[in-house]
Amino acid sequence: MRLIVTEKNNSARRIAEILGAGAKEASSYKVPYYTWSDAEGDHLAIGLKGHVLNPSFPDGYSNWQKTDLHELIDAKLIKEPTDKNVLRALRKVAKDATSVVIGTDFDREGELIGLEALSEVLEVNSDLKDKVKRARYSALTKDEIERAFANLDDLSYDLAYAGEARQDIDLIWGATLTRAVSLATRRFGSNFLSVGRVQSPTLGLIVERELERRAHKPEPYWEVLARFQHPEEAFEAHHTVDRFWKRDEADAAVAGTKGPGVVSEIGSRKVNRRPPVPFNTTSFAAEASSRLSITPSRAMRIAEDLYMDGFISYPRTDNTVYPSSLPTRELVASLVRIPEFDAAAPLLDGELKPTRGKKESTDHPPIHPTQAVNPGGLDGQHQRVYELIARRFLATFGKPMITESTRAEIEAGSETYFVRGSVVVDPGYAAIYTYARSADEEIPKLEEGQELELEGEPWIVDKETQPPSRIGQGKLLEMMEERGLGTKATRPDIIQKLYDRGYVFGNPPSPTETGIAMYDAFKRYVPRMATPEMTAELERDMDEIAGGEISKDEVLEISRQMLHGTYEEVAHKEEDLAKVIWAGMDEDRILGPCIVCERAGRRHEDGSPNMLRVIRARKSGKRFVGCQGWEPDNPDACDVTFPLPQRGDVFKLEERCSVCGETPRLKVVPLRGRPWNLCLNEECPSMEEMRRRRAEREAARAAKEAGEKDDATADGGGADGAEADAARVDGAGTKTRSKRSARGRRKAGSTRSRSSRSRSRAGS
Ligand SMILES: [Zn+2]
Ligand SMILES: [Zn+2]
């Protein structure tokens, strides 16, 4: 029997469907497999669940406090099974095999997964040693699978070792430095601070931008606008001076403007925008993020689903040039038969000449649809992602988009104004790649010498220069790629990890103070970990291993030596490093000045305001917000407290709420569901609005439930995580807080009993 091992169950099933008409499904240890027979004999296809083995430290290194980190660095790694059932099933079916085909994904990671599986197979059936073949395919389509199985190849051990080296290095570096930093800052258990070879420099990109934003000093400037009458429609024109840096100059421009204006110059030009190049992983994920607002990690998961279903080609690729073997005409012809894509039908009238990107490689083609599917048949985000890929593919054969922009100048007194319009003359590729189509901005028809009366007075708009904007997730992926940080497969997960560890929040990601401090500490004390250079160097080593120029063991040895040195530096400066990180974590707990203390004139001895901060009650472990002005046994001290949701993460959104101006406002990121904003002031209009909407939803649900009373399966708990948490805050706080906050505000500083304070401390 020929054993075919694939990376996932879906691909085993697809291969069985394609190669063995009427293949039968069975299972072993709950792992499905597929069997069929043909002229060549019996076949069995089984799918893994990704990696079957993971590198790990042997027993004896698990105690963080007792393990010497130099020993940890040199520890001989072992392999641990990731899923025992998959291994049992694989070993069982391997016993009867007479040959093996490794059919895992066609990349470094897939080669390694194949090698892992093979080592297990050979353990139970060593006769197979010389009967191993590799099937390399880029899409789960009939043509591609048949081609791959007709041209079986050999497993590339070097490629697998390169993947293995990366895995080992990531484990050793990550574990050592994560432990070193967590120990230095005394963060144990689930609160540990993670450090990663790729993760830390990526955080650096986000932090550097944030620091630029903070360093930005807004500079005021003024713009001058005027409105002119026109037989078609009055329109607005902008002074030809873009920005007046002095107010009196803007005033002078207004004073010098006299009607009627005379159209002095009209110019128009055509702009050709070239069609986009084929998608590789990075440009795909970036586009999904910017055009569809789907995060890169989510977009990749969806693309993997679409690949597994045979709808698109393998989504992990750097290539941006279609191979000549791609049946482009056939694909275009089948796509344009779907009504959604029929705008591309004219492409078939001529020669199909696709655009080419800068990167060309031979492993996988650029991401493209492999099958024409009616997107309406896919669910929500899968539909949008498939459409994006299909439209992009069609667009790469398209004509340029031609827009005509017109600029007219109008002289009015001593001043000159201009107005600009832009109209799409020929949408070209944008007819199918609709995301790129620019909206028309039309202006009335103007002629040189035409006189136009002013409508009202010209006016001045106050503006100020803006800081550089935050880096969106799509842009971040591109920056990681430019710097060689991570691989096309790991980049989205790395970004997700920064969120999971609380180093960044929001979208686009902003760093928390802890995240900034982590980066700052590394830049100061372990600069090697804060910059992308080291990683880029390692990536080059991986390529050399894959190319057979250097052995995996040599690379690991060099890396370990480097890490010994790095850890030595960390240990040496442990205290300073911890101080920097602690200061950041403290910052994150500080939310903003306490308005009650402010009104009562209470402040720190140095004159700085008493701040509200997140506190964890020592006994119950519950968190709440309290004021730095609180002192035990002082009846005149500030006893303001606010409850917090107990689950999920909270971040400072504003020191003082921009809606009510009373208290800090937080962002709550629940474990499940969407993040939401929490103003500590219960009477804030934003919170009233939230309660009103929730009441409406509850009423609607109650009405629905009443209508479905007889239906025993009616779901009573429809609230998502965010709303459920919001309910919990109010539930905990309403009784004492409305009284407290009302009183706190009116009678700031008045004597309050300690008992209510301790009750709320314990109970919040
Ligand atoms: Zn206070
Ligand atoms: Zn508010």
Side-chain angles (χ1 to χ4, degrees):
M1 173 266 283
R2 179 167 78 163
L3 172 65
I4 300 166
V5 184
T6 67
E7 201 157 319
K8 301 255 171 71
N9 174 47
N10 288 20
S11 31
R13 193 178 53 221
R14 283 286 297 162
I15 288 173
E17 278 167 14
I18 292 165
L19 298 182
K24 287 194 200 67
E25 180 176 340
S27 73
S28 170
Y29 298 100
K30 293 185 191 145
V31 179
Y33 61 84
Y34 309 87
T35 54
W36 69 96
S37 303
D38 57 22
E40 287 164 41
D42 297 336
H43 308 264
L44 186 154
I46 186 168
L48 311 168
K49 288 178 184 165
H51 284 285
V52 268
L53 300 170
N54 259 340
S56 153
F57 291 104
D59 286 343
Y61 294 91
S62 58
N63 187 316
W64 286 34
Q65 274 113 315
K66 287 190 183 143
T67 304
D68 177 84
L69 290 182
H70 283 300
E71 280 175 32
L72 186 77
I73 294 170
D74 289 328
K76 199 170 153 40
L77 300 180
I78 55 165
K79 293 262 189 184
E80 267 189 353
T82 52
D83 187 318
K84 290 212 169 89
N85 279 342
V86 170
L87 280 188
R88 284 190 194 118
L90 180 64
R91 284 162 165 264
K92 189 163 172 231
V93 296
K95 280 185 189 144
D96 305 324
T98 49
S99 67
V100 192
V101 176
I102 300 295
T104 47
D105 290 354
F106 178 15
D107 58 16
R108 197 147 63 189
E109 220 59 27
E111 214 71 20
L112 173 55
I113 293 169
L115 184 64
E116 291 165 5
L118 184 62
S119 70
E120 293 294 317
V121 165
L122 293 180
E123 249 179 60
V124 294
N125 189 344
S126 56
D127 295 346
L128 294 173
K129 196 154 57 78
D130 303 319
K131 304 193 175 70
V132 184
K133 286 286 169 196
R134 174 82 165 102
R136 293 203 165 85
Y137 52 90
S138 291
L140 286 166
T141 55
K142 193 168 191 307
D143 290 353
E144 180 69 359
I145 293 296
E146 283 173 352
R147 185 203 54 75
F149 277 83
N151 297 283
L152 289 173
D153 203 351
D154 292 319
L155 195 67
S156 164
Y157 289 87
D158 287 336
L159 195 59
Y161 294 147
E164 205 168 29
R166 182 209 309 284
Q167 254 191 353
D168 290 358
I169 286 169
D170 279 350
L171 173 70
I172 301 168
W173 278 79
T176 305
L177 290 175
T178 293
R179 287 190 191 194
V181 171
S182 297
L183 288 168
T185 52
R186 282 172 231 139
R187 301 270 292 189
F188 304 121
S190 60
N191 280 330
F192 72 91
L193 293 172
S194 77
V195 179
R197 188 178 58 84
V198 180
Q199 189 194 111
S200 300
T202 303
L203 174 62
L205 296 173
I206 300 171
V207 171
E208 289 284 356
R209 179 61 61 89
E210 186 67 16
L211 297 180
E212 271 175 53
R213 287 171 56 84
R214 290 186 185 179
H216 173 82
K217 291 213 175 58
E219 247 183 279
Y221 66 88
W222 293 269
E223 289 181 21
V224 175
L225 295 139
R227 203 169 163 80
F228 292 94
Q229 295 176 7
H230 187 278
E232 283 174 31
E233 195 184 7
F235 64 92
E236 238 169 60
H238 196 281
H239 197 282
T240 47
V241 173
D242 255 1
R243 297 174 170 191
F244 288 97
W245 294 102
K246 291 193 175 124
R247 170 78 200 205
D248 52 357
E249 287 173 6
D251 287 335
V254 169
T257 305
K258 296 274 182 298
V262 179
V263 179
S264 57
E265 208 185 308
I266 301 175
S268 70
R269 64 192 183 102
K270 289 211 168 111
V271 180
N272 278 15
R273 221 163 290 163
R274 284 165 38 80
V277 301
F279 263 155
N280 66 3
T281 303
T282 304
S283 56
F284 157 68
E287 203 76 343
S289 169
S290 67
R291 307 281 193 191
L292 309 178
S293 301
I294 294 176
T295 63
S297 57
R298 176 100 190 105
M300 281 312 290
R301 277 200 300 278
I302 294 171
E304 264 156 31
D305 288 349
L306 293 171
Y307 164 69
M308 287 298 182
D309 289 332
F311 297 153
I312 64 166
S313 62
Y314 191 57
R316 294 180 203 165
T317 174
D318 286 325
N319 194 359
T320 52
V321 179
Y322 298 130
S324 54
S325 60
L326 199 69
T328 48
R329 180 162 288 273
E330 220 171 279
L331 277 170
V332 171
S334 64
L335 281 167
V336 300
R337 276 198 288 273
I338 292 169
E340 268 90 346
F341 306 131
D342 63 3
L347 288 178
L348 292 169
D349 298 341
E351 193 199 342
L352 285 177
K353 253 193 101 190
T355 53
R356 301 164 63 90
K358 285 191 197 117
K359 290 197 175 171
E360 183 166 11
S361 61
T362 51
D363 54 352
H364 292 283
I367 304 173
H368 65 275
T370 48
Q371 209 186 110
V373 187
N374 193 331
L378 304 169
D379 77 75
Q381 289 189 322
H382 287 75
Q383 176 181 339
R384 296 168 66 217
V385 169
Y386 177 78
E387 251 192 64
L388 175 70
I389 292 167
R391 288 183 185 279
R392 175 69 163 227
F393 174 71
L394 294 168
T396 59
F397 302 97
K399 285 186 300 186
M401 168 167 65
I402 302 168
T403 53
E404 181 166 28
S405 68
T406 308
R407 187 180 193 274
E409 291 200 348
I410 304 154
E411 274 167 25
S414 60
E415 307 301 312
T416 312
Y417 290 79
F418 76 92
V419 59
R420 200 175 3 221
S422 154
V423 178
V424 176
V425 187
D426 179 356
Y429 74 86
I432 185 72
Y433 203 59
T434 41
Y435 323 93
R437 188 177 170 142
S438 53
D440 286 352
E441 286 170 48
E442 289 186 73
I443 54 169
K445 187 127 191 63
L446 298 172
E447 278 168 43
E448 266 176 48
Q450 191 176 1
E451 290 198 353
L452 302 164
E453 288 298 335
L454 277 169
E455 189 175 281
E457 291 293 310
W459 67 97
I460 295 176
V461 184
D462 292 9
K463 295 222 167 152
E464 55 182 30
T465 55
Q466 298 297 311
S469 54
R470 294 208 165 87
I471 306 168
Q473 292 196 35
K475 178 75 191 156
L476 189 59
L477 283 178
E478 289 173 358
M479 293 170 76
M480 289 171 79
E481 185 184 25
E482 279 163 24
R483 290 161 178 76
L485 288 173
T487 66
K488 49 195 180 253
T490 58
R491 277 174 210 129
D493 297 339
I494 299 279
I495 297 178
Q496 189 54 45
K497 238 177 236 165
L498 297 178
Y499 280 97
D500 295 345
R501 291 306 343 151
Y503 296 156
V504 304
F505 70 99
N507 191 16
S510 340
T512 59
E513 297 303 326
T514 307
I516 295 177
M518 281 293 286
Y519 176 64
D520 186 26
F522 272 86
K523 215 167 83 173
R524 277 200 234 177
Y525 302 111
V526 206
R528 196 177 276 163
M529 273 305 275
T531 62
E533 276 85 52
M534 185 195 111
T535 284
E537 226 170 77
L538 279 169
E539 298 283 343
R540 283 195 292 277
D541 289 342
M542 309 290 109
D543 287 341
E544 283 179 19
I545 298 176
E549 295 158 47
I550 187 170
S551 78
K552 176 200 150 194
D553 287 342
E554 281 172 88
V555 167
L556 268 179
E557 185 48 37
I558 296 167
S559 184
R560 282 190 163 113
Q561 287 313 321
M562 212 193 264
L563 180 54
H564 278 298
T566 301
Y567 167 56
E568 201 58 47
E569 290 170 57
V570 175
H572 191 64
K573 296 158 186 164
E574 191 179 68
E575 265 173 47
D576 300 330
L577 179 129
K579 271 186 207 147
V580 174
I581 296 173
W582 279 332
M585 293 196 289
D586 274 352
E587 268 300 284
D588 272 336
R589 284 191 282 266
I590 291 177
L591 302 175
C594 170
I595 201 165
V596 177
C597 283
E598 199 174 287
R599 287 181 179 147
R602 279 191 304 256
R603 42 183 68 241
H604 285 293
E605 274 175 19
D606 66 0
S608 62
N610 286 339
M611 303 295 261
L612 294 171
R613 68 205 199 289
V614 178
I615 300 169
R616 228 168 240 290
R618 208 161 287 162
K619 272 192 192 148
S620 64
K622 292 200 167 156
R623 64 182 175 194
F624 63 99
V625 173
C627 179
Q628 288 175 333
W630 182 73
E631 293 163 40
D633 310 319
N634 177 359
D636 291 330
C638 180
D639 62 357
V640 168
T641 64
F642 302 94
L644 283 176
Q646 295 303 325
R647 292 197 299 166
D649 288 321
V650 293
F651 301 103
K652 171 172 62 186
L653 188 67
E654 295 174 309
E655 286 210 338
R656 195 154 279 175
C657 171
S658 54
V659 179
C660 67
E662 292 281 324
T663 56
R665 199 162 175 221
L666 314 181
K667 179 170 280 296
V668 180
V669 183
L671 300 178
R672 285 183 309 123
R674 272 179 293 129
W676 54 283
N677 297 339
L678 165 70
C679 179
L680 295 178
N681 172 17
E682 189 182 51
E683 286 156 42
C684 173
S686 73
M687 296 309 285
E688 274 167 18
E689 170 72 16
M690 184 158 164
R691 283 193 296 273
R692 189 182 59 74
R693 277 200 307 245
R694 192 173 60 233
E696 276 173 17
R697 275 196 303 272
E698 270 164 15
R701 194 164 57 226
K704 194 167 164 248
E705 270 167 25
E708 294 171 350
K709 216 165 29 203
D710 298 333
D711 183 1
T713 60
D715 177 15
D720 67 17
E723 286 154 19
D725 267 331
R728 209 161 302 132
V729 180
D730 283 1
T734 316
K735 255 186 209 152
T736 52
R737 190 172 48 159
S738 55
K739 232 190 261 165
R740 183 171 58 232
S741 57
R743 192 148 32 128
R745 217 166 296 133
R746 276 179 226 116
K747 295 167 65 183
S750 67
T751 311
R752 295 261 329 279
S753 76
R754 274 292 114 196
S755 66
S756 87
R757 169 72 184 200
S758 37
R759 191 174 58 234
S760 55
R761 281 225 157 177
S764 318

